């Protein structure tokens, strides 16, 4: 059963053995799935390696992790509808509690959303390659593990699902097949692997190149997946799979229509670390600039069940307004035979 349920704990994001000790106490079911020799080997490599680029390190350290975390804390529901779809798709063929590894888990958003919207019978293990994100997850009550997506630390055949979403394009193309191979290895027979991204040439790709790359301090020079690439990895590794598109829109609410738009603009500024806009325009104008850019960029052809353009609507019986900016994501959903 999903729960946060632990008080914030101070755990160094780079100390795998400290994280393992806390997992033993707070998430014993996940702890027993860890491959200890793999973890020991990975810890030694981490200690020997020089520091690597971390876009999701703290803002002070040159990343956008601090503002990213603030965005999720201020609006945990911004991507909740999309997250619900991903988890429901992954668990549709299984019964009982599902152990799901969230490879790009950040500070634990997927786990918190599952708890908040009442998705039962899933146990989300938050993993991330950023020590800052892992430390922040523990500090907010979410068990987490420092792990690279292509170097998973779980025993072979030990988990029910592997989620690769929200940042998939940050994985270098040379390592992407390795991620699929590792996900296949750790899954039990019948387990699900879900790969989620925004296609090359899509409005999300435009947002990253036109807005995030220009106006964040980290830039955004990453290659998004193509549909053929997703299918190729899943097929070559051995998954039975299908590829589909989902509505993965952003939302925010406010007591007026303008406030709902402004709140979503604030979310986008923090989410993507658009500090250059804030430095140029100031916070309030930066939030307005961001939502207007998003309304212009995120437009799609009409399709049943999908949002095609931005909307602001009153929510029945609440007195609030909801602003929605559409995003469409492509997913490859594979099952291990």
């Amino acid at each position: 059963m999903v729960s946060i349920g632990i008080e914030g704990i101070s755990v160094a994001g780079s100390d795998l053995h400290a994280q393992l000790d806390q997992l033993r106490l707070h998430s014993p079911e996940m702890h027993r799935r860890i491959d200890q020799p793999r973890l020991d080997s990975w810890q030694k490599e981490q200690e020997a390696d020089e520091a690597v680029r971390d876009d999701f390190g703290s803002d002070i350290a040159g990343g956008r992790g601090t503002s990213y975390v603030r965005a999720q804390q201020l609006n945990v529901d911004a991507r909740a509808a999309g997250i619900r779809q991903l988890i429901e798709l992954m668990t549709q063929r299984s019964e009982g509690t599902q152990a799901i590894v969230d490879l790009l888990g950040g500070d634990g958003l997927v786990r918190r959303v599952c708890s908040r919207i009442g998705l039962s019978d899933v146990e989300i293990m938050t993993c991330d390659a950023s020590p800052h994100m892992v430390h922040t997850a523990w500090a907010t009550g979410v068990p987490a593990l420092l792990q690279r997506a292509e170097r998973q630390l779980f025993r072979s055949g030990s988990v029910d699902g592997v989620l690769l979403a929200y940042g998939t394009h940050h994985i270098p193309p040379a390592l992407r097949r390795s991620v699929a191979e590792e996900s296949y290895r750790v899954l039990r027979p019948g387990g699900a692997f879900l790969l989620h991204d925004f296609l090359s040439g899509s409005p999300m790709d435009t947002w990253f190149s036109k807005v995030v790359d220009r106006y964040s301090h980290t830039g955004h020079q990453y290659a998004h997946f193509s549909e053929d690439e997703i299918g190729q990895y899943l097929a070559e590794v051995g998954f039975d799979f299908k590829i589909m598109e989902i509505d993965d829109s952003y939302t925010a609410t406010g007591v007026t229509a303008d406030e709902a738009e402004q709140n979503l603009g604030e979310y986008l500024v923090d989410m993507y670390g658009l500090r250059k806009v804030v430095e140029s325009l100031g916070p309030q104008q930066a939030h307005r600039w961001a939502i207007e850019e998003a309304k212009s960029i995120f437009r799609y052809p009409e399709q049943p069940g999908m949002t095609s353009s931005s909307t602001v609507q009153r929510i029945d019986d609440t007195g609030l307004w909801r602003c929605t900016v559409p995003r469409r994501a492509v997913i490859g959903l594979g099952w291990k035979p």
Side-chain angles (χ1 to χ4, degrees):
M1 185 76 71
V2 171
S3 61
I4 302 302
I6 64 172
E7 295 183 2
I9 297 171
S10 181
V11 180
S14 59
D15 190 340
L16 277 160
H17 289 109
Q19 294 158 29
L20 192 64
D21 288 343
Q22 293 298 333
L23 279 179
R24 182 184 294 110
L25 295 174
H26 300 291
S27 190
E29 281 297 306
M30 283 300 186
H31 177 272
R32 70 178 182 82
R33 292 174 165 86
I34 297 293
D35 187 318
Q36 184 74 54
R38 287 177 186 272
L39 184 142
D40 292 340
S41 176
W42 177 233
Q43 179 74 71
K44 290 177 181 178
E45 290 184 32
Q46 286 287 107
E47 293 169 350
D49 284 349
E50 297 181 1
V52 296
R53 170 173 170 162
D54 182 5
D55 283 357
F56 291 91
S58 70
D59 291 10
I60 294 174
R64 59 181 174 98
T66 307
S67 60
Y68 173 88
V69 169
R70 182 168 58 249
Q72 314 320 317
Q73 291 174 342
L74 290 176
N75 188 355
V76 71
D77 295 323
R79 294 179 281 163
I83 290 171
R84 176 192 286 274
Q85 289 181 77
L86 299 184
I87 299 303
E88 289 180 344
L89 284 167
M90 294 183 71
T91 58
Q92 63 183 301
R93 294 189 178 185
S94 302
E95 297 180 356
T97 301
Q98 303 294 296
I100 295 176
V101 177
D102 183 6
L103 292 178
L104 306 178
D107 67 327
L109 176 68
V110 169
R111 182 180 172 112
R112 284 197 299 275
V113 167
C114 288
S115 178
R116 183 177 176 87
I117 64 180
L119 284 179
S120 60
D121 295 332
V122 289
E123 180 70 18
I124 307 293
M125 183 67 239
T126 298
C127 299
D128 205 90
S130 167
H132 177 71
M133 288 290 104
V134 172
H135 171 76
T136 303
W138 279 107
T140 55
V142 175
L145 187 67
L146 184 71
Q147 175 191 259
R148 296 190 65 83
E150 74 276 10
R151 289 287 305 274
Q152 297 181 40
L153 304 179
F154 296 88
R155 291 186 290 104
S156 298
S158 66
V159 303
D160 303 296
V162 177
L163 174 64
L164 182 66
Y166 303 115
T168 309
H169 45 274
H170 284 259
I171 298 170
L175 297 178
R176 291 175 179 180
R177 176 173 170 144
S178 296
V179 176
E181 290 172 339
E182 274 291 273
S183 299
Y184 190 94
R185 178 186 66 79
V186 303
L187 282 169
R188 62 164 176 79
F193 173 49
L194 192 150
L195 192 163
H196 161 291
D197 198 20
F198 306 97
L199 294 178
S200 297
S202 68
M204 192 73 226
D205 194 16
T206 301
W207 171 263
F208 278 121
S209 62
K210 182 180 178 181
V211 176
V212 182
D213 190 47
R214 296 182 187 179
Y215 298 107
S216 71
H217 288 309
T218 59
H220 199 277
Q221 295 289 328
Y222 299 101
H224 286 256
F225 281 75
S226 69
E227 192 169 308
D228 288 344
E229 183 184 8
I230 292 172
Q232 177 184 340
Y233 296 137
L234 295 176
E236 290 180 351
V237 169
F239 286 105
D240 298 326
F241 69 94
K242 60 182 178 180
I243 296 176
M244 67 189 78
E245 192 175 49
I246 67 166
D247 189 315
D248 198 0
S249 298
Y250 302 110
T251 65
T253 59
V255 296
T256 66
D258 183 71
E259 183 179 85
E261 287 195 337
Q262 195 77 3
N263 287 344
L264 191 48
E266 180 178 10
Y267 175 83
L268 294 171
V269 166
D270 283 342
M271 172 77 174
Y272 296 105
L274 306 180
R275 308 321 303 166
K276 293 180 183 179
V277 184
V278 176
E279 292 160 5
S280 174
L281 301 178
Q284 293 302 312
Q285 287 302 312
H287 301 161
R288 173 50 59 184
W289 179 90
I291 189 61
E292 294 301 331
E293 285 291 305
K295 288 160 65 176
S296 173
I297 291 171
F298 290 99
R299 295 177 178 272
Y300 296 87
E302 293 286 345
Q303 185 175 335
M306 298 279 193
T307 307
S308 59
S309 60
S310 298
T311 62
V312 184
Q313 297 175 320
R314 185 183 291 275
I315 306 171
D316 292 341
D317 302 325
T318 67
L320 296 175
W321 291 77
R322 177 186 290 117
C323 177
T324 300
V325 168
R327 289 195 309 177
R328 294 182 187 174
V330 66
I331 64 170
L333 180 58
W335 290 273
K336 183 175 180 177

